[in-house]
């Protein structure tokens, strides 16, 4: 279980003022939970992910993964970045195997494991390609395979599909769900797309900026329904999906109006 | 119901010839081939040289004929110059530049990377480097000779100093241009500090470092020849200077030609190394 407990972050802005980036955020990600943080830019969702990944210390509060407090980055939390952050000089298979190399796994063994993961994301035939030879969607799939390679306890995904076209994005969402369903990994996922959040999350945290905080939570089961039926269209067209989408849109707009009125 | 307009591709009865292929209009030279133009220019310059010399438009003392220069290559090859064979002169110059470049690379890359990573290293080393590297190397050559003597040590030290700065500065720039996502990705995959250095920092900085090496080798040739003009009894620079004192213009021409060939070979070798080591440069 990942437990975020009253996490607060304050930054120093360039003009010396204090920016309240994250205000007492608390939530839990249970076994095989898929938690999506949804909000406009500046709502602190990336700050939250960076804190869970260990790239950023908290000003106050705690993040506890399976009983151990998070103190820095580690292979128990796999991160998928918005910009893929692959190593341009390594082939796809060696990029996927990077974490295993750091873990001291022998070359033949880590290659075999990497090929297995590339099969999982459907890129086995591109194992020997270099990252720049792949499309954006393929690079992101390599990023997912790389994050899975060290068998982390949780996958942290920072708007991983934000830069993709909408068709590729739909495919990637379905691929991610099938990976989640098969590996039963916990996932913390960031997005600014309401539809993406609703479709993917078992829980959606709606966040609002200044200070960055959680303003609403929804427990959902669209993702389990999709995993069982494989029919994305009927889910996204259902009245239930549409009414939740409008409800969340209203919450986000209200936060926006409140902010401009203040 | 709305009307649905069905469009079908109509194949024309007559066979169309090859269509006109078009491209986006580019700005600047881009990928247009220039080799043929360069070769033609070289031939034109050689012809002009031959014509000017043959028609005696300038005194023969200033401009030897192309044929004479070629003959002089043979003469120098068989008889040597000033008590040493031509290959000994070339070897003396190559030895100096290769040794100095090796020392400059071996010291410049690690120190530059360290300066990019560590506040103390940057603070301490910045002072001497920023002080000496804008100086023209020849301005402190006399000091080198006083301190280290007229032999090889002073010349190689001069060359090392001249070539060290661009390599060190480029290695620092390489660390600065390292994207933070790449570092964070490696750390979240469990990289320890040493692995972060060997697997992420060094390869990420490699394109910048190779650019620095290329600049350093260019500076190295300039400094080498100038140092040999002043204080040497061997080397291509010495040969040119000595021949000039006897107004042996054809030997001067041969010396310049040899330096041009060597410098071109070095730069081609570095381009080749770049193509092998960093094929991904500028692509991601």
């Amino acid at each position: 279980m990942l437990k975020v407990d009253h996490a607060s972050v304050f930054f120093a802005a360039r003009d010396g003022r204090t920016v309240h980036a994250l205000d007492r955020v608390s939530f839990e990600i249970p076994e095989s939970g898929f938690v999506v943080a949804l909000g406009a830019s500046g709502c602190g969702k990336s700050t939250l992910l960076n804190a869970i990944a260990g790239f950023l210390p908290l000003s106050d509060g705690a993040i506890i993964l399976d009983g151990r407090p998070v103190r820095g980055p580690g292979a128990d939390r796999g991160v998928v970045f918005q910009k893929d952050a692959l190593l341009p000089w390594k082939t796809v298979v060696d990029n996927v195997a990077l974490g295993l190399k750091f873990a001291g796994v022998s070359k033949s063994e880590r290659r075999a494991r990497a090929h297995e993961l590339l099969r999982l994301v459907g890129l086995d035939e591109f194992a020997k390609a270099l990252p720049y030879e792949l499309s954006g969607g393929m690079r992101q799939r390599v990023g997912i395979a790389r994050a899975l390679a060290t068998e982390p306890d949780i996958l942290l995904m920072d708007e991983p599909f934000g830069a993709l076209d909408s068709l590729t994005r739909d495919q990637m969402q379905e691929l991610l769900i099938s990976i989640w369903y098969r590996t039963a990994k916990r996932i913390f996922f960031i997005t600014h797309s309401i539809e993406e959040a609703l479709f993917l999350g078992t829980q959606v945290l709606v966040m609002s900026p200044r200070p960055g905080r959680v303003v609403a939570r929804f427990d959902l089961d669209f993702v389990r329904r999709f995993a069982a039926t494989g029919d994305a269209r009927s889910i996204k067209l259902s009245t239930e999906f549409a009414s939740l989408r409008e409800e969340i849109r209203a919450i986000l707009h209200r936060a926006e109006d409140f902010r401009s009125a203040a | 119901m709305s009307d649905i307009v069905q469009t079908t591709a109509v194949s024309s009865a007559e066979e169309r010839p090859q269509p006109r292929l078009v491209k986006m209009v580019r700005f600047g030279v881009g990928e247009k081939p220039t080799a043929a133009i360069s070769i033609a220019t070289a031939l034109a310059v050689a012809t002009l040289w031959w014509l000017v010399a043959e028609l005696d438009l300038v005194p023969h003392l200033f401009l030897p004929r192309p044929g004479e220069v070629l003959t002089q290559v043979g003469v120098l090859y068989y008889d040597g110059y000033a008590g040493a064979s031509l290959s000994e002169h070339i070897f003396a110059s190559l030895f100096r530049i290769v040794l100095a470049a090796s020392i400059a690379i071996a010291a410049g890359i690690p120190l530059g990377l360290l300066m990019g990573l560590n506040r103390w290293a940057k603070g301490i080393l910045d002072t001497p480097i920023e002080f000496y590297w804008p100086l023209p190397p020849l301005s402190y050559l006399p000091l080198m000779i006083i301190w280290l003597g007229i032999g090889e040590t002073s010349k190689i030290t001069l060359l090392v100093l001249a070539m060290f700065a661009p390599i060190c500065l480029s290695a620092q720039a390489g660390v600065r241009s390292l994207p933070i996502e790449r570092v964070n990705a490696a750390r979240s995959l469990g990289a320890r500090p040493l692995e972060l250095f060997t697997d992420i920092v060094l390869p990420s900085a490699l394109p910048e470092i190779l650019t620095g090496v290329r600049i350093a080798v260019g500076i190295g040739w300039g400094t080498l020849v100038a140092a040999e003009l002043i204080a040497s009894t061997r080397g291509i620079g010495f040969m040119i200077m000595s021949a000039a004192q006897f107004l042996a213009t054809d030997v001067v021409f041969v010396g310049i030609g040899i330096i041009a060939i060597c410098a071109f070979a070095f730069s081609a070798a570095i381009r080749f190394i770049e193509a092998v080591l960093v094929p991904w440069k500028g692509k991601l």
Side-chain angles (χ1 to χ4, degrees):
Chain A
M1 158 116 74
L2 179 96
K3 188 170 167 16
V4 177
D5 186 18
H6 292 86
S8 291
V9 169
F10 297 87
F11 288 125
R14 222 172 312 172
D15 57 5
R17 282 186 307 177
T18 304
V19 177
H20 198 174
L22 207 59
D23 185 22
R24 288 162 293 171
V25 170
S26 296
F27 65 94
E28 285 171 3
I29 305 183
E31 231 25 77
S32 77
F34 195 144
V35 175
V36 181
L38 167 69
S41 51
C43 71
K45 54 196 196 297
S46 285
T47 306
L48 181 57
L49 184 135
N50 284 334
I52 299 174
F55 304 144
L56 175 76
L58 291 176
S59 299
D60 198 18
I63 296 170
I64 293 152
L65 178 62
D66 296 328
R68 306 177 308 269
V70 165
R71 291 224 170 80
D76 52 351
R77 284 146 293 146
V79 183
V80 180
F81 295 84
Q82 181 171 18
K83 275 167 60 197
D84 56 61
L86 300 175
L87 303 184
W89 54 88
K90 279 191 189 292
T91 58
V92 164
V93 65
D94 284 338
N95 262 293
V96 173
L98 189 63
L100 298 171
K101 185 184 175 194
F102 295 145
V105 178
S106 75
K107 190 161 193 168
S108 59
E109 203 181 323
R110 62 182 191 246
R111 283 256 169 94
R113 178 89 185 104
H115 274 290
E116 217 172 279
L117 284 160
L118 283 173
R119 261 194 298 282
L120 183 71
V121 298
L123 279 180
D124 199 29
E125 56 187 309
F126 292 93
K128 289 206 172 68
L130 285 167
Y132 67 77
E133 297 168 312
L134 304 184
S135 69
M138 288 155 101
R139 283 212 290 265
Q140 225 30 293
R141 280 191 269 170
V142 178
I144 295 171
R146 178 176 73 173
L148 287 170
T150 51
E151 300 193 4
D153 301 323
I154 184 169
L155 212 51
L156 308 173
M157 308 184 77
D158 189 358
E159 290 193 47
F161 309 150
L164 304 181
D165 65 85
S166 65
L167 294 175
T168 311
R169 200 176 175 140
D170 288 347
Q171 290 171 1
M172 292 292 287
Q173 289 170 359
E174 295 179 14
L175 174 75
L176 179 63
I177 291 173
S178 81
I179 290 170
W180 170 73
Y181 199 66
R182 272 185 278 173
T183 60
K185 284 268 180 262
R186 282 173 288 193
I187 297 180
F188 179 69
F189 188 102
I190 283 179
T191 182
H192 54 245
S193 155
I194 300 174
E195 287 223 3
E196 187 165 76
L198 283 174
F199 187 53
L200 294 179
T202 56
Q203 183 175 67
V204 172
L205 308 172
V206 183
M207 296 185 70
S208 171
R210 266 168 256 179
R213 67 203 186 280
V214 176
V215 290
R217 293 162 204 259
F218 294 88
D219 286 311
L220 304 167
D221 68 341
F222 297 116
V223 63
R224 292 211 168 87
R225 239 187 277 172
F226 173 78
T229 64
D231 185 0
R233 199 173 144 78
S234 76
I235 292 169
K236 287 182 181 173
L237 288 176
S238 69
T239 49
E240 207 185 340
F241 195 90
S243 68
L244 271 168
R245 188 176 60 212
E246 292 316 308
E247 193 181 340
I248 293 175
R249 196 186 303 279
I251 294 170
L252 288 170
H253 280 278
R254 216 180 306 136
E256 193 71 26
D257 292 343
F258 173 72
R259 191 152 53 102
S260 47
Chain B
M1 282 295 279
S2 61
D3 293 319
I4 294 169
V5 181
Q6 182 89 27
T7 53
T8 41
V10 183
S11 60
S12 63
E14 68 222 276
E15 198 60 44
R16 291 266 305 261
Q18 169 74 22
R20 193 166 82 94
L21 300 174
V22 293
K23 245 189 205 172
M24 284 293 282
V25 178
R26 285 183 181 277
F27 184 73
V29 173
E31 293 159 17
K32 290 174 207 158
T34 56
I37 304 171
S38 302
I39 292 168
T41 308
L43 289 176
V45 170
T47 311
L48 192 68
W49 174 18
W50 176 79
L51 266 177
V52 170
E54 209 58 39
L55 298 174
D56 279 329
L57 295 178
V58 293
H60 179 250
L61 187 63
F62 294 167
L63 190 69
R65 292 189 177 84
E68 288 168 345
V69 174
L70 283 177
T71 317
Q72 196 55 244
V73 174
V75 172
L76 285 169
Y77 182 76
Y78 288 111
D79 299 347
Y81 185 84
S85 70
L86 185 61
S87 55
E88 278 173 325
H89 284 298
I90 296 175
F91 180 77
S93 292
L94 284 178
F95 170 78
R96 285 168 193 144
I97 196 159
V98 169
L99 180 64
S102 310
I103 296 171
I105 288 169
I109 294 175
L111 284 177
L113 292 174
L114 192 66
M115 287 173 76
L117 294 168
N118 183 285
R119 187 168 73 104
W120 281 92
K122 167 91 177 153
I124 292 170
L125 292 172
D126 242 356
T127 311
I129 291 174
E130 291 296 327
F131 170 74
Y132 98 81
W133 93 265
L135 300 173
L138 286 183
S139 68
Y140 51 80
L141 175 60
L143 197 60
M144 292 293 130
I145 294 173
I146 293 169
W147 284 349
L148 301 167
I150 197 97
E152 291 300 310
T153 319
S154 58
K155 279 188 280 292
I156 286 168
T157 309
L158 183 83
L159 279 178
V160 169
L161 285 173
M163 295 167 87
F164 169 82
I167 295 172
C168 179
L169 294 175
S170 67
Q172 269 183 74
V175 178
R176 264 201 304 275
S177 67
L178 172 59
I180 186 68
E181 287 92 358
R182 209 176 274 170
V183 177
N184 279 342
R187 291 204 300 166
S188 73
L189 289 168
R192 285 172 287 272
L194 185 67
E195 289 166 330
L196 213 54
F197 182 81
T198 57
D199 284 66
I200 310 293
V201 175
L202 187 62
S204 292
L206 206 53
E208 308 254 6
I209 290 172
L210 286 173
T211 305
V213 170
R214 207 149 84 179
I215 295 168
V217 168
I219 294 174
W221 278 106
T223 312
L224 171 77
V225 172
E228 285 178 347
L229 294 179
I230 292 172
S232 190
T233 57
R234 286 271 195 292
I236 299 299
F238 159 75
M239 192 176 93
I240 293 172
M241 194 62 198
S242 164
Q245 280 163 356
F246 296 107
L247 292 175
T249 325
D250 45 1
V251 178
V252 174
F253 268 64
V254 173
I256 292 171
I258 290 170
I259 292 169
I261 290 167
C262 289
F264 181 80
F266 269 56
S267 126
I270 296 171
R271 269 204 300 274
F272 175 76
I273 291 170
E274 267 184 342
V276 171
L277 286 183
V278 289
W280 44 274
K281 184 181 179 182
K283 285 178 178 154
L284 202 82

